[in-house]
Amino acid sequence: MTKHVRPRRLRRCQLSVPGSSEKMMAKAAALDLDYVFFDLEDAVAPDQKKAARGNIVKALNTLEFGKTVRCVRINDTATRYCYGDIIEVVQGAGEKLDLIMIPKVLDADDVLFVDKLLSQLEKDLGLTNRIGLECLIEEVEAMMNIERIAASTPRLEALIFGMGDYSASQGVSVKDIGGSGGYPGDIWHYQRHCLAIACKSFGLDPVDGPYADIRNPETYREECRRAMTLGLVGKWAIHPSQVEIAQEVFSPTRTEVDRARAMKAAFDDALAQGLGAVMYEGKMIDIASIRIVNNVVERANLIGM
């Protein structure tokens, strides 16, 4: 299976900011975070959606984001707003835009529509940057078609599990978006597993969606931990107070990084001597265990640890 080379971006935390709020967008630009997306969909009232496009263009062109990844969540392809969202934002601030996030994707066709429109705009405007795509998996149809979605286009970089709309789509009973609803175990274990497997198979980043109760940081931390354990690389934040938690949970500790680099060095020395395995701190390191070690090292390098 061919994996396309995609940009390596940090997605430990994706902060959601309403595109209708110039104040909130300015505040987000001042934060130390991996990634921010300005929302044109759920966070914006229908009569404010077109005006919000202009707010986002202004924010992207005038605010300084440093190394923070900049994304816009458009309205889904079944709405009357989708094409206008793409055209106006890309025409107005395409050189300052890293990604477009597509909500409520059902199958690969939804992704390809946006992909082709972006390709036309990039050629017409002479953009030097290639704008990436991310898709929200938040309908049962999307979960059934997740492999086709993941394989749809080299422009795709990540899939995100949107458990809010997904709960409604499947009829899952939960009190808070991202919560467990009292279910004995992780109610989202299967969906997160499917997302992670599809993403890893096609070279994408799997990301977990929101947790709505901003007054409950410990449960948010636990949801981050559960997602991280299954191989997801980050989680949404719907409030700045959640950013630090997510970026901490989805980062290896200094001790883990130092140990991983030492193990990698020991294994590399063994290979140079013609050995396929080596003992390190009383445990054998072979080619299988070094793959896990390499994941830690690569993540640390991306973070800059």
Side-chain angles (χ1 to χ4, degrees), residues 37 39 52 74 84 98 126 130 138 141 169 239-240 248 251 259 286 295:
F37 71 92
D39 195 12
I74 60 173
D98 297 310
R130 180 184 172 93
E138 49 189 341
E141 295 95 329
S169 180
H239 189 271
E248 176 191 335
S251 299
R259 186 170 185 272
D286 59 12
N295 286 340

Side-chain angles (χ1 to χ4, degrees), residues 38 40 49-50 52-58 60-61 71-74 81-100 118 121 125 127 131:
F38 297 141
L40 285 169
K49 288 186 185 292
K50 292 185 178 181
R53 296 170 184 164
N55 294 339
I56 289 173
V57 168
K58 179 182 176 183
L60 289 171
N61 284 325
C71 177
V72 172
R73 176 166 72 162
I74 60 173
Y81 304 106
C82 178
Y83 81 100
D85 290 345
I86 300 167
I87 292 171
E88 189 167 337
V89 170
V90 175
Q91 283 183 335
E95 292 284 2
K96 302 291 182 69
L97 183 63
D98 297 310
L99 294 151
I100 283 178
L118 271 180
L121 284 164
L125 299 170
L127 296 183
I131 298 169

Side-chain angles (χ1 to χ4, degrees), residues 8-17 25-38 59-60 63-72 95-99 243 247:
R8 298 289 294 152
R9 310 187 200 269
L10 278 175
R11 292 179 168 91
R12 293 172 297 175
C13 183
Q14 295 184 330
L15 177 65
S16 172
V17 181
M25 287 190 286
K27 183 176 181 180
L31 296 175
D32 179 17
L33 76 159
D34 292 347
Y35 176 118
V36 63
F37 71 92
F38 297 141
L60 289 171
L63 298 175
E64 178 55 52
F65 292 91
K67 295 181 179 179
T68 300
V69 174
R70 298 149 297 174
C71 177
V72 172
E95 292 284 2
K96 302 291 182 69
L97 183 63
D98 297 310
L99 294 151
V243 171
Q247 295 193 167

Side-chain angles (χ1 to χ4, degrees), residues 233-266:
V233 302
K235 186 170 178 64
W236 275 17
I238 61 169
H239 189 271
S241 65
Q242 295 178 329
V243 171
E244 186 176 352
I245 297 172
Q247 295 193 167
E248 176 191 335
V249 174
F250 287 97
S251 299
T253 65
R254 170 53 61 188
T255 300
E256 289 170 338
V257 173
D258 290 345
R259 186 170 185 272
R261 288 190 170 132
M263 291 173 70
K264 179 173 171 55

Side-chain angles (χ1 to χ4, degrees), residues 138-181:
E138 49 189 341
E139 302 289 332
V140 290
E141 295 95 329
M143 195 61 71
M144 292 292 291
N145 299 327
I146 196 165
E147 290 184 20
R148 287 205 297 268
I149 293 168
S152 59
T153 168
R155 194 190 291 273
L156 186 62
E157 296 184 23
L159 298 181
I160 304 153
F161 176 45
M163 63 277 288
D165 278 291
Y166 187 89
S167 297
S169 180
Q170 186 173 315
V172 176
S173 176
V174 290
K175 181 175 149 183
D176 295 311
I177 292 176
S180 67

Side-chain angles (χ1 to χ4, degrees), residues 174-245:
V174 290
K175 181 175 149 183
D176 295 311
I177 292 176
S180 67
Y183 186 80
D186 181 2
I187 196 170
W188 304 123
H189 179 78
Y190 172 80
Q191 291 84 358
R192 285 168 171 159
H193 240 312
C194 286
L195 187 89
I197 291 169
C199 284
K200 300 296 182 179
S201 296
F202 293 95
L204 310 177
D205 279 344
V207 179
D208 204 34
Y211 178 69
D213 188 356
I214 61 174
R215 301 163 301 176
N216 192 346
E218 287 310 309
T219 301
Y220 178 74
R221 179 182 293 275
E222 174 61 16
E223 288 297 297
C224 288
R225 189 195 65 79
R226 289 179 175 184
M228 181 273 296
T229 301
L230 292 178
L232 280 72
V233 302
K235 186 170 178 64
W236 275 17
I238 61 169
H239 189 271
S241 65
Q242 295 178 329
V243 171
E244 186 176 352
I245 297 172

